[in-house]
Structures are given as C-alpha cells and as structure tokens.
Amino acid sequence: MRRRTSSDFRSLQDFGSLPIVGLILLLAGCSSPPAAPSITLATTTSAQDSGVLDMLVPAFRAQNGIEVKVVAVGTGQAIQLARRGDADILLVHDPAAEEKFMADGFGVNRRPLMYNDFVLLGPATDPAGVKGEKSVAAVFARIAEHKATFISRGDESGTHVKEKSIWKKAGVEPSGDWYVRAGAGMGQVLRMASEKKAYTLSDRGTFLSQRQQLDLTILREHDPPLLNHYHVIEINPEKYPHVHSKEARQFADFLVSPATQKRIGEFGVEKFGQPLFFPGEPPGDK
C-alpha cells in the first residue's frame, strides 16, 4: 500500500476548505434530475396514421407535463399488450373485444372517445362493378365472385375484425390469390391497395389523411354495419400494480374533456373539408 504524502494531505485539506454551499452544489451536480412522468398508450394504427394523436399527445404534454409513449399496432395486438401489463392505457376500436377485456378484469373506466365509419375503397374503374349493390355485404360477395384483388389488414385489428364480420354476412370465406393478407397497418395497406389497383376496407379518418397520395376512391359508405367506435380504457391497477394509473386517468380525462372533444370534432375540417372523427359516441348509441 502506498504511503500518503504531504501533498495528499494538502489535497484533502483543500477539499475540506471548500465553502459548504459550493460542496452541496458539487454533490448535487453528480445526480441527474428526476425523469418526467410518462405513460404507455397502446392504440390502433388508424389513430396514429390519421394524425389525430399528433394533435392530442403534444397538447396533453404541454398541459400536464406527462409524456405519452405511443405503441401503434392493430387493436388485437394493443389489447394483448394491455393484457400483459405492458401498457397503461388503451385507445382501440373493437367493441366486442373491449367488452371481453373489461369482463376479464383487465380494464377500468371504459369511455367513448370518438367515432367515424369504415369505407370500402377501390380503383375508380371499379373492376368488380360493386357500385349500385344494395348493401356492403353484397359488395363483398361481388368482389369474391369476380376474384378482384382485395387487400386485407390480416392483423386482427379493429378494421380486420370489421372486415371479417362483413365477409361472414356475405356468406363468403375469402381465399385464393385475389385475397391478400397484408399483416400491416392501415397506412401501408392503403398504399398497397393503391399500387395494386385493389379493393380494401379502411377507416375514413386514415383514408382522408392520406387521400392525396392514393389512387383510390370511396365505392361504398354510410351502411349501418360500417360505424366505427373508439373507446379509451385505463388498465386496472389491481391487476397490474405497476401501471401508472394516476397519469393514465389524467390522460383519459383530458381526452374526454369538453375542450379536447371540441378539438377532435374540428380535426381535419380545414385541410380535408370534413372532420376525420366525431367526438363521443353516435346519438343513437347513448
């Protein structure tokens, strides 16, 4: 062991002679400031691709100082993330799956956030001749009959679940080369359908937000089965004590507040001439 020299003791003495305030500041500089609180939002790609979250999340952060980490996947995957405790809050659009999630005790305080509708898209040439059919189920049956290319989300998202329910009403089990399971988000599926001159089902919000880049047109809309509800659900802290339930509640309260609901109803009007979403829930569903 090295013997301490007189210079060592002078160094220690010099350190000890620092003013107490300076010593405190020196020690404080060695520690990092506490990180800003954050929550994880598991949500559908349509909420992300439509751009509405790009408006809502920064507004919430500015108002509350809470970061929101967005994980945008299909609704089915988002619900699975929440079932594993890997999210603090959900924003999804599959009412049947949401009700099962609540019944199983994984969620609390499920509230309607907004709604729009699904639209059947395709090339303006309409190769299967679906225009004029009496229902969206009849439209799907005609697409299958003509084996016209159809791009499916194929990812158990809310859009995919809605699509499967329409095939079922049409009495069709889609299969073959004409039926393409993309396993992708809404934005990517829209681009694929545009490139392949194919049909697809989309939420109206995502389509409107990307319409200028797509060679697609609305061929069927406003059928009652095409209504598209979005709900916000907080993850049950009794099931997962580690979730940031306080901050998640703040975000949910922010989303359904009158001021935010007004902003949702106005979102897209200036750019697209119509809102991408309507706030709350349809009057007939209350």
Side-chain angles (χ1 to χ4, degrees):
M1 178 182 296
R2 188 176 71 86
R3 296 174 63 88
R4 288 183 176 176
T5 66
S6 58
S7 61
D8 291 326
F9 285 107
R10 282 197 299 274
S11 297
L12 290 171
Q13 290 168 351
D14 290 340
F15 184 81
S17 66
L18 284 172
I20 188 66
V21 173
L23 182 57
I24 292 172
L25 291 174
L26 177 64
L27 294 174
C30 297
S31 60
S32 301
S38 68
I39 58 172
T40 297
L41 168 68
T43 189
T44 171
T45 59
S46 61
Q48 179 72 23
D49 292 345
S50 66
V52 70
L53 289 179
D54 292 332
M55 179 265 291
L56 295 175
V57 168
F60 174 70
R61 181 173 59 241
Q63 180 174 309
N64 296 276
I66 298 172
E67 295 287 343
V68 180
K69 299 174 182 177
V70 178
V71 180
V73 290
T75 284
Q77 292 173 272
I79 290 176
Q80 286 304 314
L81 285 171
R83 280 182 175 270
R84 296 198 300 265
D86 292 333
D88 301 295
I89 191 166
L90 273 173
L91 196 174
V92 287
H93 63 145
D94 182 355
E98 295 164 28
E99 289 165 8
K100 178 72 163 57
F101 182 81
M102 297 296 292
D104 290 343
F106 288 97
V108 294
N109 209 23
R110 175 177 178 248
R111 288 181 272 180
L113 175 63
M114 59 190 183
Y115 67 96
N116 58 13
D117 60 349
F118 294 101
V119 291
L120 188 281
L121 305 171
T125 54
D126 187 16
V130 303
K131 288 181 181 178
E133 288 292 346
K134 60 183 179 181
S135 69
V136 68
V139 165
F140 273 45
R142 191 170 183 89
I143 290 172
E145 179 186 352
H146 285 259
K147 293 182 169 51
T149 304
F150 186 99
I151 310 296
S152 169
R153 286 280 297 268
D155 62 352
E156 295 304 320
S157 61
T159 306
H160 185 213
V161 169
K162 175 63 70 174
E163 177 213 318
K164 291 193 296 182
S165 74
I166 299 172
W167 286 120
K168 186 175 181 179
K169 288 181 180 178
V172 174
E173 184 67 40
S175 62
D177 294 342
W178 63 273
Y179 185 71
V180 180
R181 294 176 174 84
M186 196 70 255
Q188 186 176 342
V189 166
L190 287 173
R191 291 188 291 273
M192 289 176 63
S194 181
E195 292 167 4
K196 294 178 178 292
K197 301 187 183 304
Y199 295 94
T200 194
L201 187 72
S202 172
D203 69 285
R204 186 183 294 271
T206 306
F207 170 64
L208 289 176
S209 70
Q210 302 191 16
R211 181 172 55 184
Q212 296 304 315
Q213 292 78 46
L214 302 171
D215 188 16
L216 295 170
T217 189
I218 296 176
L219 297 173
R220 189 77 191 192
E221 59 184 335
H222 301 316
D223 281 58
L226 295 178
L227 204 58
N228 183 26
H229 304 76
Y230 291 80
H231 290 85
V232 60
I233 305 172
E234 299 155 45
I235 309 309
N236 188 352
E238 293 185 4
K239 182 76 77 169
Y240 292 112
H242 67 271
V243 300
H244 300 92
S245 57
K246 177 183 175 183
E247 291 83 1
R249 174 64 61 88
Q250 286 180 264
F251 186 48
D253 288 345
F254 166 82
L255 291 175
V256 302
S257 68
T260 303
Q261 289 283 286
K262 184 175 184 292
R263 295 183 69 179
I264 289 173
E266 295 169 348
F267 180 69
V269 173
E270 183 176 345
K271 186 173 182 179
F272 305 109
Q274 59 182 294
L276 272 62
F277 302 93
F278 297 96
E281 58 185 334
D285 285 10
K286 291 181 180 179

